[in-house]
Amino acid sequence: MMKNRVLLAIGMAGLVQFSCQRQPTGVATPAAAAASQTTGGSAGVGKDALTLEQVYQGIEFNMPRVQETSFPAYKVSITQFGAVGDGITKNTQAFEKAIAEVAAKGGGTVVIPRGLWYTGPIVLKSNINLHAEAGSMVIFSRDFEDYPLIKTSFEGLNTYRCQSPISGNNLENVAITGSGTFDGNGDAWRPVKKSKMTDAQWKNLTKTGVLSEDGKTWYPSEKSKKGDGKDNFNVPNFKTKEEFEAVKDYLRPVLLSLVNCNRVLLDGPTFQNSPAWNLHPLMCQNVILRNLNVRNPWYSQNGDGLDLESCKNSLVYNNTFDVGDDAICFKSGKDKDGRDRGIPTENAIVKNNVVYHGHGGFVVGSEMSGGVKNIHVSNCTFMGTDIGLRFKSTRGRGGVVENIWISNIDMINIPTQAISFNLFYGGNSPVLEEDQKASTEARVEKQVPVTEETPSFKNIWMRDITVSGADEAVALQGLPEMNLQNVSIENAFLKAKKGITAVDATGITLKNVKVLTDKGPALTIYNSKNVNVQGLTYKDSQEPAVKVLGPLTQNVKLQNKDFKNSATQISQGKDLKKAAVSVQ
């Protein structure tokens, strides 16, 4: 008992340390709550928060209105079922009884009042609105035994994983609302590298758990350490449940897992410190995510904010993200498991979101084997995300990503590419730590046969993009056998160290794009076809401003008026075919 209390105290100290990290500005405030029209009430993101009607304005494709949740007036508090808000008493049964009571009455609201509510997993039911009042904090247990292994999907693969702190399967009409906080106690689960911590932090951490053989990585348990083999990256390639049980503590759950649910609302709370991904709606329909504050430590492995996977008819608006991996990410399964599922993510609107730290601001992939289509993204701000707009896949995935409209995006201080299409994605973080090595895939110029395993990205329109500081403005990289197709960038201001590159791309349009680079050309084209550039501006002294290379390049159209001296400002490689470039 004393050992458990010591571990709990260490965990609470970690929560306090995490909560003292920088907070995003303009997030949920009590004043905004009155202005937001929600089911059950929530906090907003300030006076400029969009209304539901505004979210549907200006959408480029036909999309049905998302069916909204509604709940009977019946309401109970978890305190009616013995819950104690002292941050120490485990309230798992109180949550279970309160949810069962409301479900038995035909639905309604389960209220979490102000307090610190320590608990094991919460399992939702249909017609339940779990409402976290202001000042409430739900803290999930550090006891791994509370989270049994279940069959699920993680990173797009069918596998076993520990049960999520919050979960729901095959539900109808379910919500989590209010301005409280749900904390996944992720630091109890995650391995930690010594290089991530100060000496004092490391000394305190290593009072529990076990160390790697070289003493440079801390694990919470022997099972966790055993699972972290080089062949077990995130989803072990095991055949039996017994094999997974042997490394159970390594199989970190997502904080919120909703599978096969219809009419889902997340409105108002903070979701933070998840063991793995934060929010994971999987194969759901009619999903509304708004007014959320989604947070993870910057060092959290697989610490994604939102992974919307194989979902149909979704709204994501008025949210803030500050996470350890991709922030707003759309997926649809990985490789054969994803293709067999065959459910795309489609009909989604993403508006008025702010992303602070993250590997990507808005991301598609790399698990997109079921396809992603009909997506609108607008009025978002990315501040310091490793990549801004990120599209990634690789050979073996299959799937089609198409019909994506992106507009009014502002980015600042982007360490790598502001806009990135990478069909050679290898799974690495775009920004490597000092003790990491890039095992990047070498470019293979040789074409391979096009099969169901070949990913395809096409028909993507971007306009009104502002980038104030990036390492690279735009990287468009398709596959030799399946070019990136029909990507348009219009009305963009791109300030970066390096300019735009297009490799293995077809049907690229750049219109009224200003590229201010520290070095190199504003635009480099390699083995790409049907490229149309109008209104390109850049530094006056830049020579060359455009480089065109590659024996497969053809039909590149440039405008003579964009150059003072096209002969010197346009560099053409010796391997180009005759008339591959025309200046009109």
Side-chain angles (χ1 to χ4, degrees):
M1 177 64 72
M2 180 59 68
K3 180 180 179 182
N4 289 340
R5 292 277 172 151
V6 170
L7 290 174
L8 183 57
I10 292 173
M12 291 300 295
L15 290 177
V16 171
Q17 180 186 28
F18 175 65
S19 65
C20 290
Q21 291 180 3
R22 72 187 191 279
Q23 295 277 352
T25 58
V27 297
T29 62
S36 65
Q37 23 78 313
T38 65
T39 303
S42 77
V45 293
K47 64 181 180 180
D48 296 325
L50 296 179
T51 66
L52 187 59
E53 292 305 317
Q54 289 172 322
V55 171
Y56 287 106
Q57 293 176 5
I59 304 306
E60 298 87 352
F61 50 90
N62 293 325
M63 173 178 167
R65 286 187 71 100
V66 174
Q67 298 174 25
E68 298 180 61
T69 54
S70 62
F71 301 94
Y74 186 68
K75 182 183 297 186
V76 303
S77 170
I78 58 171
T79 57
Q80 296 172 232
F81 301 86
V84 179
D86 59 7
I88 296 176
T89 303
K90 191 176 287 187
N91 294 294
T92 312
Q93 289 188 353
F95 275 99
E96 182 179 349
K97 290 177 180 178
I99 291 170
E101 165 73 14
V102 175
K105 296 289 187 180
T109 300
V110 174
V111 176
I112 307 170
R114 183 181 186 90
L116 301 175
W117 308 99
Y118 190 67
T119 184
I122 296 172
V123 180
L124 299 171
K125 292 181 180 292
S126 294
N127 302 311
I128 295 295
N129 175 15
L130 186 63
H131 182 76
E133 292 186 335
S136 65
M137 185 174 190
V138 178
I139 306 158
F140 288 99
S141 163
R142 299 173 64 90
D143 185 353
F144 296 161
E145 296 306 311
D146 286 340
Y147 306 91
L149 282 185
I150 61 169
K151 280 187 175 181
T152 187
S153 175
F154 184 65
E155 293 198 337
L157 296 173
N158 301 327
T159 186
Y160 285 95
R161 206 82 187 168
C162 289
Q163 179 179 337
S164 289
I166 312 173
S167 64
N169 292 329
N170 302 306
L171 304 184
E172 183 81 24
N173 192 42
V174 63
I176 303 177
T177 62
S179 56
T181 297
F182 294 87
D183 190 292
N185 230 325
D187 285 321
W189 295 84
R190 290 187 293 264
V192 180
K193 293 181 179 179
K194 186 176 182 180
S195 61
K196 305 281 189 181
M197 313 193 83
T198 65
D199 290 342
Q201 289 172 329
W202 181 253
K203 183 178 180 181
N204 186 56
L205 178 67
T206 53
K207 291 178 181 178
T208 63
V210 297
L211 295 178
S212 60
E213 301 306 321
D214 61 7
K216 294 181 179 180
T217 303
W218 174 89
Y219 298 93
S221 69
E222 283 289 350
K223 280 189 175 182
S224 176
K225 177 182 176 181
K226 184 178 179 181
D228 197 13
K230 64 180 181 179
D231 296 326
N232 290 344
F233 183 69
N234 295 336
V235 181
N237 187 25
F238 294 155
K239 302 298 183 185
T240 67
K241 187 176 181 180
E242 288 72 26
E243 291 177 289
F244 285 92
E245 286 283 3
V247 298
K248 175 178 173 292
D249 301 353
Y250 176 72
L251 305 175
R252 296 172 283 126
V254 301
L255 173 57
L256 170 65
S257 172
L258 296 174
V259 183
N260 282 317
C261 297
N262 184 37
R263 288 196 294 150
V264 173
L265 173 67
L266 304 182
D267 188 351
T270 293
F271 294 93
Q272 68 175 30
N273 203 12
S274 58
W277 294 350
N278 209 312
L279 308 177
H280 185 207
L282 171 64
M283 296 184 290
C284 295
Q285 296 190 42
N286 297 301
V287 177
I288 300 177
L289 310 178
R290 64 188 178 204
N291 307 323
L292 304 177
N293 188 15
V294 183
R295 306 172 61 236
N296 275 335
W298 66 270
Y299 53 81
S300 56
Q301 305 98 316
N302 320 111
D304 296 27
L306 165 65
D307 290 279
L308 194 76
E309 182 171 356
S310 295
C311 291
K312 184 175 183 178
N313 301 337
S314 304
L315 308 178
V316 181
Y317 66 102
N318 294 348
N319 304 295
T320 61
F321 295 85
D322 191 347
V323 296
D325 207 309
D326 292 329
I328 304 169
C329 191
F330 286 5
K331 301 177 181 289
S332 61
K334 183 176 181 179
D335 299 345
K336 186 178 185 301
D337 286 351
R339 294 193 298 273
D340 289 346
R341 181 198 300 163
I343 302 176
T345 287
E346 61 180 318
N347 296 348
I349 300 173
V350 179
K351 280 190 175 184
N352 203 39
N353 298 286
V354 175
V355 180
Y356 295 83
H357 187 275
H359 287 178
F362 172 76
V363 181
V364 174
S366 68
E367 305 93 350
M368 39 61 67
S369 300
V372 176
K373 62 183 180 181
N374 297 345
I375 310 297
H376 172 101
V377 182
S378 67
N379 300 307
C380 293
T381 302
F382 307 145
M383 291 180 270
T385 60
D386 294 349
I387 296 176
L389 299 166
R390 188 181 193 192
F391 297 79
K392 51 183 177 175
S393 187
T394 193
R395 288 169 172 148
R397 290 284 189 271
V400 178
V401 173
E402 61 183 340
N403 302 341
I404 316 289
W405 285 267
I406 301 173
S407 62
N408 296 311
I409 307 296
D410 296 312
M411 312 182 214
I412 190 168
N413 299 332
I414 307 299
T416 60
Q417 296 98 4
I419 301 172
S420 174
F421 288 80
N422 183 0
L423 271 68
F424 284 93
Y425 177 68
N428 293 310
S429 165
V431 176
L432 299 178
E433 303 295 329
E434 291 182 1
D435 58 352
Q436 292 179 310
K437 295 181 179 179
S439 55
T440 54
E441 300 178 359
R443 270 196 58 80
V444 180
E445 297 284 338
K446 183 180 178 181
Q447 293 189 19
V448 301
V450 174
T451 68
E452 66 173 4
E453 298 183 357
T454 307
S456 173
F457 285 64
K458 61 184 180 181
N459 303 337
I460 298 164
W461 294 269
M462 292 175 276
R463 61 178 174 83
D464 301 319
I465 310 293
T466 301
V467 176
S468 181
D471 181 69
E472 188 174 359
V474 181
L476 307 173
Q477 180 170 296
L479 294 170
E481 68 274 12
M482 179 62 74
N483 282 191
L484 177 64
Q485 300 175 60
N486 301 337
V487 175
S488 172
I489 302 176
E490 183 176 353
N491 300 337
F493 174 87
L494 309 172
K495 184 180 184 302
K497 293 180 180 178
K498 293 172 283 188
I500 301 171
T501 59
V503 178
D504 293 329
T506 297
I508 304 301
T509 299
L510 303 178
K511 185 176 181 180
N512 299 331
V513 175
K514 185 171 186 177
V515 186
L516 299 181
T517 63
D518 293 345
K519 59 181 179 180
L523 172 63
T524 301
I525 299 166
Y526 179 80
N527 278 358
S528 296
K529 310 175 189 68
N530 305 325
V531 180
N532 191 352
V533 182
Q534 302 176 41
L536 180 69
T537 56
Y538 43 87
K539 290 182 179 178
D540 288 342
S541 60
Q542 203 160 353
E543 292 186 10
V546 176
K547 290 182 69 174
V548 186
L549 309 163
L552 301 180
T553 294
Q554 61 185 27
N555 195 27
V556 174
K557 295 181 180 180
L558 305 172
Q559 286 197 325
N560 190 55
K561 66 180 182 180
D562 292 342
F563 306 92
K564 287 185 176 180
N565 186 341
S566 60
T568 60
Q569 290 182 302
I570 301 173
S571 171
Q572 300 189 40
K574 295 180 180 179
D575 54 355
L576 282 180
K577 292 181 179 178
K578 187 177 181 180
V581 179
S582 63
V583 183
Q584 302 170 344

